[in-house]
Amino acid sequence: MPIDILGLSRKRRGTPRPSPLQNLPDELLEKILAICSQSDMASASSTCWRFSRITSRFLYRHPKAVTSDKALDLFITLCCHKHLPSFVHTCELRTSLRVPPTKSPLDEDSFSKRVRKIGTLRTFPHRHALRDPLTLVAYVLKNMINLTKLEFFIPEKEVHLDYNSRLLGECRFQLRQLDTNLRFDTGMARFLTTQSSLEDLRIYSSAPLSSLDIGIFPKTCLSSLKSLSWTSRMPIEVVRALMKGRPIHKVNINICANVDDIAPIISFGPASHRIKTANFTFRDRRHPTFVQLEAMSFHFPNLVGLGIAVCTFTEDITKDLKEALKTFSHLERLYIYDEIHMEEATTRSLFQLAKTMFEECSTLKKIGFYLCDPYVTVEKIPSSSSSAKPQIVLRLKR
């Protein structure tokens, strides 16, 4: 009989020793798992029921559904495990809420197939929630009691449909940020009256509203709102109703193509004097023009930060921008973005352009050019001596 010097046979026959991690309290395990990556946490969740319960708090805290199918899979999973929706703090959802048509009445639609694949094997008391995508999303949102940020986008062909009453009517969360193309209608207005903690509202479509409809939106709600975003398709009456009496100091405005006169989109009365930061996104290759830039300085006289996103930063836009900078009285920060990077943009050329802009606008202190890689930031740093010229510093960022 061979001699077992290391005692391996006894180890095989004996009871396996428990891992020291099993003796740690849940609070310490949460701190350890909190610094792990998503993939490591997913691996840890498959080791035992305890780790699965603890890691779920992190894995479902900030879920991202980049496609419509993944969004439906995520919400079906959240629906079938009633403890998971309360873990979600931020949610990005881009999906259709319609049941896709089938080629034949005998065929099963894709939504029903996904439900059968993910959720049918579980005994679930609220099976009615899996009837269609709209009912599913409404049920899960109702149970996301700790949600603070919601990005919710549906296809453009569904924007005109009245989803808000069913989706948001029974929600119990208190959002800090809402970014959606769900239309602003009476259902959305009623929902917003319940969101006392909302600080950032980004809404991009609206139903035709009468003054009576806007009247149900009281001045006392949204008392914490600091930032508002809208598009040129939004009626200015809705923007004025949202701006009135609220501490909004930042706006983000998306200008659709073929809109030359932006004054009606940004003229909302005395509240415009409170705006310190404004970001404009232009969808027309010719914009912004000098007239549009001048309208910004006129309607936002106290503007300190300005962001401009263009299709392509052309020579005509550059010329108009340099000329319009003279009309800004308090501008300190300017950021320029483009969708198609300028091939001729070099660090040297952008540095020279920045120096010219500093000369045109004496209050300007920082310019960011997001037109090439690496990005270029130019800052004007005042000298310690009052007689010396300020120093202009160039920084590259990736």
Side-chain angles (χ1 to χ4, degrees):
M1 181 178 179
I3 300 174
D4 187 5
I5 299 175
L6 300 178
L8 297 177
S9 61
R10 290 194 299 274
K11 289 183 180 180
R12 284 195 295 267
R13 290 195 300 268
T15 304
R17 295 180 180 179
S19 170
L21 290 175
Q22 296 289 349
N23 299 325
L24 294 178
D26 287 356
E27 293 77 10
L28 286 179
L29 285 175
E30 287 182 5
K31 291 185 177 181
I32 294 172
L33 292 169
I35 62 175
C36 296
S37 63
Q38 289 285 103
S39 59
D40 290 339
M41 276 194 282
S43 300
S45 67
S46 62
T47 57
C48 63
W49 285 106
R50 188 187 179 201
F51 275 31
S52 177
R53 173 175 54 82
I54 295 173
T55 54
S56 295
R57 301 174 187 269
F58 302 99
L59 290 173
Y60 290 93
R61 182 168 293 180
H62 307 290
K64 292 185 179 181
V66 292
T67 64
S68 181
D69 289 342
K70 288 185 178 180
L72 291 177
D73 288 347
L74 170 65
F75 270 64
I76 293 171
T77 302
L78 294 172
C79 180
C80 294
H81 299 78
K82 61 180 182 180
H83 65 288
L84 292 182
S86 62
F87 297 153
V88 181
H89 286 209
T90 65
C91 183
E92 299 179 15
L93 179 63
R94 288 168 171 79
T95 185
S96 170
L97 298 178
R98 283 179 168 176
V99 177
T102 58
K103 296 180 180 179
S104 169
L106 300 178
D107 293 337
E108 187 178 26
D109 61 78
S110 59
F111 177 73
S112 299
K113 290 179 181 179
R114 308 193 84 84
V115 171
R116 181 163 51 82
K117 178 182 177 182
I118 297 174
T120 301
L121 298 179
R122 297 185 57 84
T123 55
F124 182 55
H126 301 283
R127 300 286 302 184
H128 67 278
L130 299 170
R131 182 177 56 198
D132 56 70
L134 179 58
T135 307
L136 166 68
V137 174
Y139 175 82
V140 176
L141 286 177
K142 182 177 68 173
N143 290 281
M144 288 182 176
I145 57 176
N146 294 314
L147 193 66
T148 59
K149 176 183 175 182
L150 176 62
E151 295 184 19
F152 195 165
F153 288 87
I154 56 177
E156 191 68 25
K157 59 184 178 182
E158 298 180 33
V159 167
H160 68 284
L161 299 176
D162 182 14
Y163 286 150
N164 292 321
S165 299
R166 290 184 61 183
L167 285 172
L168 306 173
E170 299 182 23
C171 293
R172 296 177 290 170
F173 47 68
Q174 280 292 321
L175 295 177
R176 298 188 65 180
Q177 178 178 330
L178 174 62
D179 188 358
T180 183
N181 66 343
L182 293 171
R183 66 180 190 171
F184 189 98
D185 56 12
T186 53
M188 177 63 75
R190 291 191 185 94
F191 166 72
L192 291 176
T193 59
T194 66
Q195 301 299 302
S196 58
S197 300
L198 193 65
E199 298 179 359
D200 187 356
L201 176 60
R202 306 179 186 186
I203 193 161
Y204 303 111
S205 61
S206 175
L209 295 174
S210 64
S211 57
L212 181 63
D213 294 327
I214 298 176
I216 70 171
F217 194 67
K219 301 177 183 178
T220 54
C221 68
L222 298 181
S223 58
S224 301
L225 195 63
K226 300 175 183 177
S227 177
L228 180 65
S229 306
W230 69 92
T231 71
S232 53
R233 295 183 301 177
M234 284 282 290
I236 193 62
E237 293 79 11
V238 175
V239 177
R240 287 172 181 164
L242 289 168
M243 294 288 299
K244 196 170 184 180
R246 296 178 177 87
I248 298 173
H249 58 80
K250 179 181 178 180
V251 295
N252 303 287
I253 307 169
N254 195 316
I255 309 297
C256 300
N258 301 320
V259 176
D260 295 322
D261 186 8
I262 66 171
I265 303 168
I266 61 177
S267 57
F268 42 81
S272 61
H273 291 261
R274 298 197 309 267
I275 303 303
K276 300 293 184 181
T277 304
N279 297 303
F280 288 84
T281 301
F282 292 91
R283 301 298 181 185
D284 196 312
R285 290 181 176 274
R286 302 167 299 156
H287 297 162
T289 61
F290 173 80
V291 175
Q292 293 172 331
L293 293 164
E294 190 180 37
M296 297 178 198
S297 65
F298 176 78
H299 290 282
F300 302 139
N302 298 316
L303 203 63
V304 175
L306 175 61
I308 299 176
V310 300
C311 294
T312 306
F313 195 56
T314 61
E315 291 185 5
D316 291 337
I317 294 175
T318 305
K319 181 180 178 181
D320 288 343
L321 181 58
K322 286 192 293 185
E323 187 68 23
L325 282 175
K326 300 176 183 178
T327 64
F328 289 88
S329 303
H330 304 283
L331 190 65
E332 296 180 2
R333 302 181 303 275
L334 174 64
Y335 301 97
I336 304 171
Y337 310 82
D338 68 347
E339 291 184 6
I340 304 173
H341 284 344
M342 299 171 57
E343 294 182 359
E344 65 275 11
T346 61
T347 303
R348 183 178 179 84
S349 64
L350 294 176
F351 182 69
Q352 294 299 325
L353 176 59
K355 291 176 67 176
T356 306
M357 290 180 172
F358 285 136
E359 294 173 359
E360 300 293 345
C361 183
S362 59
T363 59
L364 201 57
K365 298 178 181 178
K366 183 176 181 179
I367 304 176
F369 295 103
Y370 295 83
L371 308 173
C372 55
D373 191 11
Y375 303 138
V376 176
T377 302
V378 185
E379 296 184 44
K380 183 169 66 174
I381 303 175
S383 176
S384 56
S385 174
S386 58
S387 60
K389 291 184 178 181
Q391 183 181 7
I392 298 178
V393 179
L394 182 144
R395 294 186 174 91
L396 302 180
K397 295 182 180 181
R398 292 190 180 274

